[in-house]
Amino acid sequence: AVAKRKSEAPAARPKKRAKRAPSAPEAAADPVPEEYSIPPPVSQVPPSPAARGKWKNKERVLIFSSRGINFRTRHLMQDLRTLMPHSKADTKMDRKDQLFVINEVCEMKNCNKCIFFEAKKKQDLYMWLSNTPQGPSAKFLVQNVHTLAELKMTGNCLRGSRPLLSFDPTFDKEPHYALLKELFIQIFSTPQYHPKSQPFVDHVFTFTVTDERIWFRNYQIIEEDASLVEIGPRFVLNLIKIFQGSFGGPTLYENPHYQSPNMHRRLIRLSVAAKFREKQQVKEVQKIKKEGSKVLIEEDPTEVVFETPAEEKPVEIQLVKPESKPIVKDKKKLRKIQRKKQKKLLRTEA
């Protein structure tokens, strides 16, 4: 009996039935799709034929300044950070430090581009655009700065959206402008599929060359008629030098039309002094003319004929001291005294 039990295979146990939930209405069985759903960032979308979002361009821009900047420069720097989602910030650099230290700061912040604002004399602002650490780098004098808060324009754009870059045809004609164009493209263009960027293009950065200066403007693209409305900020860049290295090195180009702010202020003072000196000279010339216009007429000897000398009066010597007159402040009392004297004289004569 034992051998028979071993030889026989164990019978398969029947499976337990899963408990079923109570029957629900058919409408609840089909899930209703959500009306509002937030899509994931473009960089996290898996690569597929429909959407291939891969963040390949890892450009990072460090935007910071030196100590001693004014409020307008601080607001301009903050505006650029909001317009450029691929930018990073850092603390202000001490003025005593050398500029090549910025290369180490960019390396620590994992940035390969840099915009550095340098303030001098609390009134002059310089901007450095550099490709760290190899170079090249360019130094500009920043003029006519207007921030977003000052302009109060009617335009508006989505934060983090990618801009279009519009360049003047002059950038393709001269070699130093071509180098600056490539530098501007690498710094100001937001990389595609950046995690902090939005997949929209609704504003334009324009770089225009006028009067040997580069004018920066930011415009919104209106969808209805594709017209442009200025948003801000706006500023003018006056090129000083282009260096081969980052924040130094051999000079590739030097602007012959550049005039330093110190020289400009000196010329203004000299022109004011020249105007004042000219006014003084005009006054002296007028004074000399007035003196020269007076003609001196010689004396006529016949005029003495009609002069008759006055009669000489005999000299009288008073031997008696004159009577002292009483000092009376009140005029009425003085008149009374005079009347009394006259009455006395009349009585004596009578």
Side-chain angles (χ1 to χ4, degrees), residues 59-62 64 99-116 128-137 183 186-187 244-248:
E59 296 283 352
R60 298 181 182 89
V61 183
L62 181 65
F64 71 117
L99 289 177
F100 60 82
V101 180
I102 301 175
N103 296 325
E104 299 178 3
V105 177
C106 292
E107 188 177 356
M108 291 166 58
K109 288 284 183 178
N110 196 16
C111 296
N112 51 4
K113 297 290 185 296
C114 180
I115 299 177
F116 178 67
W128 286 82
L129 300 179
S130 175
N131 180 22
T132 58
Q134 292 86 11
S137 59
L183 196 61
Q186 294 184 14
I187 290 177
Q244 185 175 353
S246 177
F247 296 98

mmCIF file of all heavy atoms in Angstrom, residues 59-62 64 99-116 128-137 183 186-187 244-248:
data_model
loop_
_atom_site.group_PDB
_atom_site.id
_atom_site.type_symbol
_atom_site.label_atom_id
_atom_site.label_comp_id
_atom_site.label_asym_id
_atom_site.label_seq_id
_atom_site.Cartn_x
_atom_site.Cartn_y
_atom_site.Cartn_z
ATOM 1 N N GLU A 59 25.784 74.699 -22.847
ATOM 2 C CA GLU A 59 26.347 76.031 -22.598
ATOM 3 C C GLU A 59 25.792 76.592 -21.288
ATOM 4 O O GLU A 59 24.580 76.604 -21.069
ATOM 5 C CB GLU A 59 26.005 76.994 -23.740
ATOM 6 C CG GLU A 59 26.606 76.633 -25.080
ATOM 7 C CD GLU A 59 28.081 76.982 -25.175
ATOM 8 O OE1 GLU A 59 28.582 77.638 -24.249
ATOM 9 O OE2 GLU A 59 28.724 76.582 -26.161
ATOM 10 N N ARG A 60 26.684 77.068 -20.421
ATOM 11 C CA ARG A 60 26.291 77.714 -19.168
ATOM 12 C C ARG A 60 27.022 79.051 -19.067
ATOM 13 O O ARG A 60 28.240 79.101 -19.273
ATOM 14 C CB ARG A 60 26.607 76.840 -17.963
ATOM 15 C CG ARG A 60 25.875 75.505 -17.954
ATOM 16 C CD ARG A 60 26.238 74.721 -16.710
ATOM 17 N NE ARG A 60 25.586 73.418 -16.699
ATOM 18 C CZ ARG A 60 26.108 72.321 -17.228
ATOM 19 N NH1 ARG A 60 27.286 72.379 -17.833
ATOM 20 N NH2 ARG A 60 25.467 71.165 -17.162
ATOM 21 N N VAL A 61 26.285 80.099 -18.734
ATOM 22 C CA VAL A 61 26.841 81.455 -18.692
ATOM 23 C C VAL A 61 26.827 81.943 -17.249
ATOM 24 O O VAL A 61 25.789 81.901 -16.583
ATOM 25 C CB VAL A 61 26.021 82.426 -19.583
ATOM 26 C CG1 VAL A 61 26.660 83.801 -19.586
ATOM 27 C CG2 VAL A 61 25.928 81.883 -20.996
ATOM 28 N N LEU A 62 27.972 82.411 -16.805
ATOM 29 C CA LEU A 62 28.090 82.996 -15.464
ATOM 30 C C LEU A 62 27.950 84.512 -15.583
ATOM 31 O O LEU A 62 28.710 85.158 -16.308
ATOM 32 C CB LEU A 62 29.439 82.636 -14.841
ATOM 33 C CG LEU A 62 29.689 83.166 -13.425
ATOM 34 C CD1 LEU A 62 28.721 82.544 -12.438
ATOM 35 C CD2 LEU A 62 31.127 82.904 -12.995
ATOM 36 N N PHE A 64 27.919 87.886 -13.323
ATOM 37 C CA PHE A 64 28.144 88.526 -12.029
ATOM 38 C C PHE A 64 28.933 89.802 -12.256
ATOM 39 O O PHE A 64 29.189 90.202 -13.396
ATOM 40 C CB PHE A 64 28.845 87.569 -11.062
ATOM 41 C CG PHE A 64 30.285 87.295 -11.381
ATOM 42 C CD1 PHE A 64 31.285 87.655 -10.501
ATOM 43 C CD2 PHE A 64 30.658 86.677 -12.568
ATOM 44 C CE1 PHE A 64 32.607 87.409 -10.786
ATOM 45 C CE2 PHE A 64 31.972 86.427 -12.858
ATOM 46 C CZ PHE A 64 32.959 86.801 -11.966
ATOM 47 N N LEU A 99 41.751 89.932 -12.975
ATOM 48 C CA LEU A 99 40.640 89.452 -13.795
ATOM 49 C C LEU A 99 40.786 87.973 -14.173
ATOM 50 O O LEU A 99 39.781 87.296 -14.397
ATOM 51 C CB LEU A 99 40.531 90.293 -15.071
ATOM 52 C CG LEU A 99 40.025 91.733 -14.875
ATOM 53 C CD1 LEU A 99 40.044 92.469 -16.197
ATOM 54 C CD2 LEU A 99 38.624 91.755 -14.290
ATOM 55 N N PHE A 100 42.024 87.458 -14.244
ATOM 56 C CA PHE A 100 42.168 86.059 -14.650
ATOM 57 C C PHE A 100 41.645 85.098 -13.578
ATOM 58 O O PHE A 100 41.513 83.898 -13.828
ATOM 59 C CB PHE A 100 43.636 85.743 -14.971
ATOM 60 C CG PHE A 100 44.587 85.947 -13.828
ATOM 61 C CD1 PHE A 100 44.759 84.981 -12.851
ATOM 62 C CD2 PHE A 100 45.326 87.120 -13.739
ATOM 63 C CE1 PHE A 100 45.640 85.175 -11.797
ATOM 64 C CE2 PHE A 100 46.212 87.323 -12.684
ATOM 65 C CZ PHE A 100 46.365 86.346 -11.711
ATOM 66 N N VAL A 101 41.348 85.622 -12.371
ATOM 67 C CA VAL A 101 40.743 84.774 -11.333
ATOM 68 C C VAL A 101 39.344 84.332 -11.753
ATOM 69 O O VAL A 101 38.842 83.297 -11.287
ATOM 70 C CB VAL A 101 40.702 85.547 -9.991
ATOM 71 C CG1 VAL A 101 40.083 84.705 -8.887
ATOM 72 C CG2 VAL A 101 42.102 85.991 -9.595
ATOM 73 N N ILE A 102 38.699 85.092 -12.661
ATOM 74 C CA ILE A 102 37.338 84.751 -13.093
ATOM 75 C C ILE A 102 37.326 83.395 -13.800
ATOM 76 O O ILE A 102 36.328 82.668 -13.727
ATOM 77 C CB ILE A 102 36.792 85.865 -14.014
ATOM 78 C CG1 ILE A 102 36.786 87.198 -13.260
ATOM 79 C CG2 ILE A 102 35.395 85.546 -14.505
ATOM 80 C CD1 ILE A 102 36.396 88.390 -14.093
ATOM 81 N N ASN A 103 38.415 83.030 -14.460
ATOM 82 C CA ASN A 103 38.467 81.716 -15.115
ATOM 83 C C ASN A 103 38.308 80.586 -14.104
ATOM 84 O O ASN A 103 37.616 79.589 -14.366
ATOM 85 C CB ASN A 103 39.794 81.566 -15.867
ATOM 86 C CG ASN A 103 39.915 82.567 -17.001
ATOM 87 O OD1 ASN A 103 38.924 82.909 -17.643
ATOM 88 N ND2 ASN A 103 41.120 83.048 -17.248
ATOM 89 N N GLU A 104 38.935 80.736 -12.929
ATOM 90 C CA GLU A 104 38.798 79.716 -11.896
ATOM 91 C C GLU A 104 37.385 79.698 -11.325
ATOM 92 O O GLU A 104 36.839 78.629 -11.013
ATOM 93 C CB GLU A 104 39.822 79.977 -10.782
ATOM 94 C CG GLU A 104 41.263 79.926 -11.253
ATOM 95 C CD GLU A 104 42.244 80.247 -10.143
ATOM 96 O OE1 GLU A 104 41.792 80.442 -8.999
ATOM 97 O OE2 GLU A 104 43.458 80.296 -10.415
ATOM 98 N N VAL A 105 36.785 80.889 -11.191
ATOM 99 C CA VAL A 105 35.399 80.951 -10.694
ATOM 100 C C VAL A 105 34.457 80.252 -11.664
ATOM 101 O O VAL A 105 33.550 79.507 -11.256
ATOM 102 C CB VAL A 105 34.975 82.421 -10.477
ATOM 103 C CG1 VAL A 105 33.524 82.496 -10.030
ATOM 104 C CG2 VAL A 105 35.873 83.103 -9.453
ATOM 105 N N CYS A 106 34.651 80.466 -12.981
ATOM 106 C CA CYS A 106 33.813 79.797 -13.986
ATOM 107 C C CYS A 106 34.007 78.283 -13.939
ATOM 108 O O CYS A 106 33.043 77.519 -14.109
ATOM 109 C CB CYS A 106 34.142 80.333 -15.378
ATOM 110 S SG CYS A 106 33.665 82.053 -15.642
ATOM 111 N N GLU A 107 35.230 77.847 -13.691
ATOM 112 C CA GLU A 107 35.480 76.411 -13.608
ATOM 113 C C GLU A 107 34.787 75.805 -12.391
ATOM 114 O O GLU A 107 34.252 74.698 -12.455
ATOM 115 C CB GLU A 107 36.990 76.176 -13.539
ATOM 116 C CG GLU A 107 37.375 74.712 -13.632
ATOM 117 C CD GLU A 107 38.881 74.512 -13.623
ATOM 118 O OE1 GLU A 107 39.609 75.526 -13.630
ATOM 119 O OE2 GLU A 107 39.313 73.349 -13.598
ATOM 120 N N MET A 108 34.795 76.534 -11.278
ATOM 121 C CA MET A 108 34.114 76.046 -10.077
ATOM 122 C C MET A 108 32.606 75.988 -10.277
ATOM 123 O O MET A 108 31.934 75.089 -9.771
ATOM 124 C CB MET A 108 34.448 76.956 -8.885
ATOM 125 C CG MET A 108 35.887 76.853 -8.423
ATOM 126 S SD MET A 108 36.353 78.188 -7.318
ATOM 127 C CE MET A 108 35.178 78.011 -6.006
ATOM 128 N N LYS A 109 32.063 76.946 -11.015
ATOM 129 C CA LYS A 109 30.622 76.987 -11.277
ATOM 130 C C LYS A 109 30.218 76.135 -12.481
ATOM 131 O O LYS A 109 29.044 76.114 -12.862
ATOM 132 C CB LYS A 109 30.180 78.439 -11.523
ATOM 133 C CG LYS A 109 30.182 79.304 -10.273
ATOM 134 C CD LYS A 109 28.977 78.986 -9.409
ATOM 135 C CE LYS A 109 28.927 79.895 -8.207
ATOM 136 N NZ LYS A 109 27.724 79.621 -7.377
ATOM 137 N N ASN A 110 31.180 75.469 -13.123
ATOM 138 C CA ASN A 110 30.920 74.613 -14.279
ATOM 139 C C ASN A 110 30.313 75.416 -15.429
ATOM 140 O O ASN A 110 29.354 75.002 -16.073
ATOM 141 C CB ASN A 110 29.997 73.454 -13.891
ATOM 142 C CG ASN A 110 30.006 72.343 -14.924
ATOM 143 O OD1 ASN A 110 30.902 72.280 -15.775
ATOM 144 N ND2 ASN A 110 29.029 71.471 -14.872
ATOM 145 N N CYS A 111 30.881 76.614 -15.686
ATOM 146 C CA CYS A 111 30.415 77.489 -16.755
ATOM 147 C C CYS A 111 31.519 77.652 -17.793
ATOM 148 O O CYS A 111 32.701 77.749 -17.441
ATOM 149 C CB CYS A 111 30.028 78.869 -16.206
ATOM 150 S SG CYS A 111 28.638 78.830 -15.071
ATOM 151 N N ASN A 112 31.137 77.684 -19.065
ATOM 152 C CA ASN A 112 32.116 77.879 -20.132
ATOM 153 C C ASN A 112 31.965 79.223 -20.830
ATOM 154 O O ASN A 112 32.673 79.504 -21.785
ATOM 155 C CB ASN A 112 32.010 76.755 -21.161
ATOM 156 C CG ASN A 112 30.588 76.549 -21.630
ATOM 157 O OD1 ASN A 112 29.686 77.289 -21.245
ATOM 158 N ND2 ASN A 112 30.386 75.542 -22.461
ATOM 159 N N LYS A 113 31.025 80.071 -20.378
ATOM 160 C CA LYS A 113 30.888 81.435 -20.879
ATOM 161 C C LYS A 113 30.710 82.365 -19.679
ATOM 162 O O LYS A 113 30.262 81.933 -18.609
ATOM 163 C CB LYS A 113 29.680 81.578 -21.818
ATOM 164 C CG LYS A 113 29.771 80.731 -23.084
ATOM 165 C CD LYS A 113 30.812 81.242 -24.020
ATOM 166 C CE LYS A 113 30.802 80.451 -25.319
ATOM 167 N NZ LYS A 113 31.161 79.031 -25.125
ATOM 168 N N CYS A 114 31.054 83.638 -19.878
ATOM 169 C CA CYS A 114 30.982 84.572 -18.753
ATOM 170 C C CYS A 114 30.613 85.968 -19.245
ATOM 171 O O CYS A 114 31.098 86.425 -20.285
ATOM 172 C CB CYS A 114 32.327 84.625 -18.012
ATOM 173 S SG CYS A 114 32.344 85.744 -16.606
ATOM 174 N N ILE A 115 29.728 86.625 -18.469
ATOM 175 C CA ILE A 115 29.422 88.053 -18.641
ATOM 176 C C ILE A 115 29.776 88.731 -17.325
ATOM 177 O O ILE A 115 29.128 88.472 -16.299
ATOM 178 C CB ILE A 115 27.942 88.283 -18.988
ATOM 179 C CG1 ILE A 115 27.575 87.605 -20.309
ATOM 180 C CG2 ILE A 115 27.641 89.777 -19.086
ATOM 181 C CD1 ILE A 115 26.113 87.741 -20.675
ATOM 182 N N PHE A 116 30.791 89.573 -17.370
ATOM 183 C CA PHE A 116 31.295 90.212 -16.150
ATOM 184 C C PHE A 116 31.145 91.723 -16.269
ATOM 185 O O PHE A 116 31.584 92.326 -17.249
ATOM 186 C CB PHE A 116 32.765 89.845 -15.929
ATOM 187 C CG PHE A 116 33.383 90.498 -14.723
ATOM 188 C CD1 PHE A 116 32.967 90.174 -13.445
ATOM 189 C CD2 PHE A 116 34.386 91.446 -14.872
ATOM 190 C CE1 PHE A 116 33.529 90.785 -12.342
ATOM 191 C CE2 PHE A 116 34.955 92.055 -13.784
ATOM 192 C CZ PHE A 116 34.522 91.716 -12.503
ATOM 193 N N TRP A 128 32.513 92.598 -19.843
ATOM 194 C CA TRP A 128 33.410 91.612 -20.429
ATOM 195 C C TRP A 128 32.576 90.428 -20.906
ATOM 196 O O TRP A 128 31.764 89.894 -20.142
ATOM 197 C CB TRP A 128 34.435 91.129 -19.418
ATOM 198 C CG TRP A 128 35.533 92.106 -19.100
ATOM 199 C CD1 TRP A 128 35.484 93.135 -18.225
ATOM 200 C CD2 TRP A 128 36.842 92.117 -19.672
ATOM 201 N NE1 TRP A 128 36.684 93.798 -18.201
ATOM 202 C CE2 TRP A 128 37.545 93.200 -19.077
ATOM 203 C CE3 TRP A 128 37.508 91.333 -20.609
ATOM 204 C CZ2 TRP A 128 38.865 93.505 -19.394
ATOM 205 C CZ3 TRP A 128 38.819 91.632 -20.929
ATOM 206 C CH2 TRP A 128 39.481 92.705 -20.336
ATOM 207 N N LEU A 129 32.758 90.037 -22.165
ATOM 208 C CA LEU A 129 32.176 88.808 -22.694
ATOM 209 C C LEU A 129 33.326 87.867 -23.015
ATOM 210 O O LEU A 129 34.219 88.224 -23.799
ATOM 211 C CB LEU A 129 31.348 89.080 -23.957
ATOM 212 C CG LEU A 129 30.157 90.027 -23.811
ATOM 213 C CD1 LEU A 129 29.474 90.213 -25.144
ATOM 214 C CD2 LEU A 129 29.168 89.511 -22.791
ATOM 215 N N SER A 130 33.303 86.686 -22.392
ATOM 216 C CA SER A 130 34.465 85.814 -22.518
ATOM 217 C C SER A 130 34.037 84.377 -22.712
ATOM 218 O O SER A 130 32.996 83.935 -22.197
ATOM 219 C CB SER A 130 35.349 85.930 -21.265
ATOM 220 O OG SER A 130 36.420 85.012 -21.326
ATOM 221 N N ASN A 131 34.874 83.657 -23.470
ATOM 222 C CA ASN A 131 34.761 82.211 -23.628
ATOM 223 C C ASN A 131 35.863 81.584 -22.776
ATOM 224 O O ASN A 131 37.033 81.601 -23.150
ATOM 225 C CB ASN A 131 34.900 81.825 -25.094
ATOM 226 C CG ASN A 131 34.793 80.343 -25.319
ATOM 227 O OD1 ASN A 131 34.225 79.632 -24.499
ATOM 228 N ND2 ASN A 131 35.350 79.856 -26.418
ATOM 229 N N THR A 132 35.489 81.096 -21.617
ATOM 230 C CA THR A 132 36.483 80.591 -20.661
ATOM 231 C C THR A 132 36.719 79.101 -20.906
ATOM 232 O O THR A 132 35.797 78.370 -21.282
ATOM 233 C CB THR A 132 35.987 80.820 -19.225
ATOM 234 O OG1 THR A 132 34.738 80.156 -19.065
ATOM 235 C CG2 THR A 132 35.849 82.287 -18.913
ATOM 236 N N PRO A 133 37.956 78.617 -20.651
ATOM 237 C CA PRO A 133 39.151 79.391 -20.282
ATOM 238 C C PRO A 133 40.070 79.706 -21.451
ATOM 239 O O PRO A 133 41.090 80.347 -21.285
ATOM 240 C CB PRO A 133 39.843 78.432 -19.305
ATOM 241 C CG PRO A 133 39.520 77.077 -19.842
ATOM 242 C CD PRO A 133 38.162 77.167 -20.486
ATOM 243 N N GLN A 134 39.720 79.260 -22.673
ATOM 244 C CA GLN A 134 40.649 79.438 -23.795
ATOM 245 C C GLN A 134 40.571 80.854 -24.388
ATOM 246 O O GLN A 134 41.566 81.415 -24.807
ATOM 247 C CB GLN A 134 40.356 78.411 -24.906
ATOM 248 C CG GLN A 134 40.659 76.968 -24.536
ATOM 249 C CD GLN A 134 39.493 76.306 -23.828
ATOM 250 O OE1 GLN A 134 38.391 76.861 -23.789
ATOM 251 N NE2 GLN A 134 39.735 75.135 -23.256
ATOM 252 N N GLY A 135 39.390 81.450 -24.412
ATOM 253 C CA GLY A 135 39.216 82.726 -25.082
ATOM 254 C C GLY A 135 38.447 82.524 -26.377
ATOM 255 O O GLY A 135 38.046 81.402 -26.700
ATOM 256 N N PRO A 136 38.176 83.544 -27.151
ATOM 257 C CA PRO A 136 38.587 84.944 -26.952
ATOM 258 C C PRO A 136 37.668 85.673 -25.980
ATOM 259 O O PRO A 136 36.666 85.117 -25.510
ATOM 260 C CB PRO A 136 38.468 85.527 -28.356
ATOM 261 C CG PRO A 136 37.334 84.745 -28.966
ATOM 262 C CD PRO A 136 37.440 83.353 -28.403
ATOM 263 N N SER A 137 38.006 86.937 -25.713
ATOM 264 C CA SER A 137 37.194 87.772 -24.837
ATOM 265 C C SER A 137 37.150 89.180 -25.418
ATOM 266 O O SER A 137 38.068 89.606 -26.114
ATOM 267 C CB SER A 137 37.765 87.789 -23.417
ATOM 268 O OG SER A 137 39.091 88.282 -23.418
ATOM 269 N N LEU A 183 30.440 85.054 -30.790
ATOM 270 C CA LEU A 183 30.458 85.135 -29.322
ATOM 271 C C LEU A 183 29.062 85.428 -28.779
ATOM 272 O O LEU A 183 28.620 84.829 -27.790
ATOM 273 C CB LEU A 183 31.445 86.220 -28.884
ATOM 274 C CG LEU A 183 31.901 86.218 -27.420
ATOM 275 C CD1 LEU A 183 32.609 84.922 -27.083
ATOM 276 C CD2 LEU A 183 32.818 87.396 -27.160
ATOM 277 N N GLN A 186 26.794 82.251 -29.033
ATOM 278 C CA GLN A 186 27.068 81.221 -28.033
ATOM 279 C C GLN A 186 26.641 81.644 -26.634
ATOM 280 O O GLN A 186 26.343 80.794 -25.788
ATOM 281 C CB GLN A 186 28.555 80.873 -28.046
ATOM 282 C CG GLN A 186 29.016 80.226 -29.327
ATOM 283 C CD GLN A 186 30.466 79.809 -29.279
ATOM 284 O OE1 GLN A 186 31.073 79.768 -28.217
ATOM 285 N NE2 GLN A 186 31.039 79.506 -30.429
ATOM 286 N N ILE A 187 26.621 82.952 -26.359
ATOM 287 C CA ILE A 187 26.304 83.417 -25.001
ATOM 288 C C ILE A 187 24.802 83.643 -24.834
ATOM 289 O O ILE A 187 24.191 83.175 -23.868
ATOM 290 C CB ILE A 187 27.095 84.701 -24.678
ATOM 291 C CG1 ILE A 187 28.577 84.380 -24.518
ATOM 292 C CG2 ILE A 187 26.559 85.360 -23.404
ATOM 293 C CD1 ILE A 187 29.446 85.581 -24.276
ATOM 294 N N GLN A 244 42.813 87.712 -27.345
ATOM 295 C CA GLN A 244 42.891 86.322 -27.790
ATOM 296 C C GLN A 244 42.562 85.362 -26.658
ATOM 297 O O GLN A 244 41.907 84.346 -26.865
ATOM 298 C CB GLN A 244 44.293 86.020 -28.330
ATOM 299 C CG GLN A 244 44.427 84.629 -28.927
ATOM 300 C CD GLN A 244 45.792 84.408 -29.549
ATOM 301 O OE1 GLN A 244 46.585 85.345 -29.645
ATOM 302 N NE2 GLN A 244 46.083 83.190 -29.955
ATOM 303 N N GLY A 245 43.029 85.685 -25.434
ATOM 304 C CA GLY A 245 42.762 84.828 -24.290
ATOM 305 C C GLY A 245 41.513 85.255 -23.552
ATOM 306 O O GLY A 245 40.782 86.160 -23.962
ATOM 307 N N SER A 246 41.251 84.573 -22.443
ATOM 308 C CA SER A 246 40.105 84.902 -21.607
ATOM 309 C C SER A 246 40.536 85.923 -20.559
ATOM 310 O O SER A 246 41.404 85.640 -19.725
ATOM 311 C CB SER A 246 39.577 83.632 -20.923
ATOM 312 O OG SER A 246 38.517 83.953 -20.067
ATOM 313 N N PHE A 247 39.960 87.133 -20.627
ATOM 314 C CA PHE A 247 40.280 88.252 -19.731
ATOM 315 C C PHE A 247 41.769 88.616 -19.806
ATOM 316 O O PHE A 247 42.422 88.876 -18.798
ATOM 317 C CB PHE A 247 39.893 87.923 -18.293
ATOM 318 C CG PHE A 247 38.424 87.732 -18.098
ATOM 319 C CD1 PHE A 247 37.879 86.461 -18.078
ATOM 320 C CD2 PHE A 247 37.584 88.818 -17.965
ATOM 321 C CE1 PHE A 247 36.514 86.276 -17.919
ATOM 322 C CE2 PHE A 247 36.209 88.646 -17.797
ATOM 323 C CZ PHE A 247 35.685 87.367 -17.782
ATOM 324 N N GLY A 248 42.303 88.653 -21.017
ATOM 325 C CA GLY A 248 43.695 89.048 -21.203
ATOM 326 C C GLY A 248 44.288 88.365 -22.415
ATOM 327 O O GLY A 248 43.599 87.712 -23.200
#
